[in-house]
Amino acid sequence: MAQWLSDFDFALPEDSIALRPAEPRDAARLLVVDGDGLHDHGVRDLAALLRPGDAMVFNDTRVIPARLSGIRHRGELRANIEITLHKREGEARWRAFARPGKKLAAGDRLQFGEGGDAVCFLATLDATVVEKFDEGDVLIDFDFSGPALDHALLEFGRMPLPPYIASKRLEDERDLADYQTLYAREDGAVAAPTAGLHFTPALMQVLDARGISRHFVTLHVGAGTFLPVKVEDISAHRMHAEWGTVSAETAAALNETRRRGGRIVAVGTTSLRLLESAVGEDDVIRPFAGDTSIFITPGYRFKAVDVLMTNFHLPKSTLFMLVSAFCGLDTMRRAYAHAIAAGYRFYSYGDASLLFRADA
């Protein structure tokens, strides 16, 4: 049965979009969606809403300063360009979205930084466009590689705030901390796993005391997560691939949680997508390392995750499709209508929801 993009649309007032996170982080609101309906809580209530023996799965990816502004060189021609890295392909190679993309072609040289006659080792960061893809992104080879490139990105890059925030204000020093989870440790994401932004040391201690175990996976979130769906029949949409890993130790611990009757609670859609990529048709989670482009829409059978903590998503987005698959489209329409009417804050810096799987 076809599913249409318009099925996942809803009206969202502009003032529902959060431009800064709650302070402290766990002061955010939490809408619980379960078989009994909709319930207003706070993130600080999370431990009481879960059971001893449940296992929480966090994405420990770390956001890198992936937005670069510079100049395109093509012979004697110059043009200003901005790129957002979205997937690492090698020690010196990244796929990136460019703005304006029409100004780039294979062979172009890119220069980020001060330029001029500076003699500092990191006066500029230079790169070459290797290939331009039909999807609208480009493949770039930097002149630096490995740790030297990582250091250069810290020098010249900016935090890649989502477009719905970046269009309303410039990034600043606060975002360097605000747009990073408490437990981020694996460099490589160009967008934060935003459900994790709500956690504080105090909340972690309460979860530990409740007997809720803590596990980590890594999915390097790409900028493709912000790309709009451009087809009305959503079965024709293609997700950009993201790299992730689930260790053998984590897989074994989660399978044991299930065996003992505990639930797997994914913190964020990134953790959920990775776990659902690592689980087999026999419902056993296995070690995983590689790319995933899993696209979850209503009708999908969830095999790994029982409970999902996630922020509120954009209309007609792949993430709203995912939560609609998890709880049912009609349920999520009611939940989002309630959230808007009740003044919940939306998107990356907004409030959160705790979703209990409809068929669990």
Side-chain angles (χ1 to χ4, degrees):
M1 181 177 176
Q3 298 179 81
W4 308 110
L5 183 61
S6 55
D7 294 336
F8 302 93
D9 196 12
F10 57 89
L12 182 70
E14 280 290 313
D15 60 5
S16 294
I17 300 173
L19 299 183
R20 298 284 184 187
E23 293 186 18
R25 294 182 180 207
D26 58 6
R29 300 172 71 186
L30 182 70
L31 177 62
V32 176
V33 182
D34 60 19
D36 295 326
L38 310 176
H39 316 277
D40 298 308
H41 287 276
V43 169
R44 289 171 180 165
D45 301 327
L46 182 60
L49 296 166
L50 301 175
R51 299 194 298 242
D54 287 344
M56 299 196 76
V57 183
F58 300 86
N59 181 6
D60 65 2
T61 189
R62 184 174 179 84
V63 182
I64 63 171
R67 183 168 292 146
L68 296 162
S69 297
I71 299 173
R72 182 220 70 197
H73 297 260
R74 184 185 298 162
E76 296 300 317
L77 300 176
R78 305 285 186 271
N80 293 324
I81 196 77
E82 179 177 281
I83 67 167
T84 300
L85 308 177
H86 75 86
K87 187 171 186 293
R88 192 163 201 159
E89 299 282 3
E91 287 292 293
R93 181 167 288 193
W94 277 85
R95 285 181 75 132
F97 295 109
R99 189 174 63 180
K102 63 183 180 181
K103 289 189 177 180
L104 290 185
D108 287 347
R109 289 286 290 170
L110 307 178
Q111 184 179 67
F112 309 103
E114 296 175 1
D117 298 322
V119 296
C120 172
F121 176 66
L122 287 181
T124 62
L125 172 61
D126 299 332
T128 301
V129 178
V130 176
E131 188 175 354
K132 190 171 184 178
F133 300 105
D134 293 338
E135 295 87 347
D137 55 348
V138 293
L139 187 65
I140 293 173
D141 267 352
F142 287 97
D143 290 1
F144 295 135
S145 65
L149 175 56
D150 297 339
H151 181 73
L153 291 177
L154 290 174
E155 179 77 18
F156 297 119
R158 294 177 287 126
M159 287 298 275
L161 287 183
Y164 42 77
I165 296 176
S167 64
K168 297 177 182 296
R169 67 168 179 83
L170 296 175
E171 75 278 357
D172 55 31
E173 289 297 315
R174 286 179 56 185
D175 294 307
L176 295 176
D178 286 348
Y179 201 57
Q180 206 76 265
T181 64
L182 171 72
Y183 44 81
R185 62 187 178 192
E186 299 292 339
D187 286 343
V190 300
T194 54
L197 297 180
H198 299 293
F199 287 82
T200 62
L203 180 56
M204 290 294 204
Q205 289 175 5
V206 174
L207 290 164
D208 291 344
R210 176 76 167 158
I212 298 164
S213 60
R214 191 188 311 171
H215 309 274
F216 294 94
V217 297
T218 304
L219 182 74
H220 291 321
V221 192
T225 190
F226 303 123
L227 291 180
V229 178
K230 297 180 179 179
V231 291
E232 181 58 24
D233 182 351
I234 64 172
S235 65
H237 178 69
R238 294 293 174 264
M239 298 281 284
H240 278 78
E242 297 164 316
W243 187 89
T245 180
V246 179
S247 70
E249 178 184 14
T250 294
L254 296 179
N255 289 325
E256 180 63 14
T257 294
R258 276 277 184 78
R259 190 188 70 79
R260 293 180 176 178
R263 298 171 299 186
I264 296 177
V265 183
V267 178
T269 57
T270 59
S271 298
L272 180 146
R273 291 177 61 247
L274 182 55
L275 291 175
E276 293 294 330
S277 300
V279 71
E281 289 300 320
D282 56 2
D283 295 357
V284 175
I285 298 171
R286 293 176 172 81
F288 181 93
D291 286 343
T292 178
S293 55
I294 188 170
F295 181 27
I296 296 175
T297 60
Y300 176 86
R301 184 178 80 84
F302 290 89
K303 301 178 285 295
V305 175
D306 305 296
V307 183
L308 170 64
M309 181 178 176
T310 184
N311 285 16
F312 293 95
H313 304 295
L314 283 73
K316 299 194 289 188
S317 65
T318 61
L319 299 183
F320 184 64
M321 295 171 194
L322 184 154
V323 297
S324 297
F326 200 76
C327 287
L329 178 56
D330 288 342
T331 297
M332 292 314 299
R333 282 174 173 161
R334 289 194 299 272
Y336 273 50
H338 171 84
I340 292 167
Y344 279 75
R345 302 163 74 242
F346 273 59
Y347 304 163
S348 295
Y349 279 154
D351 296 313
S353 61
L354 188 68
L355 311 180
F356 289 80
R357 207 177 79 207
D359 62 347

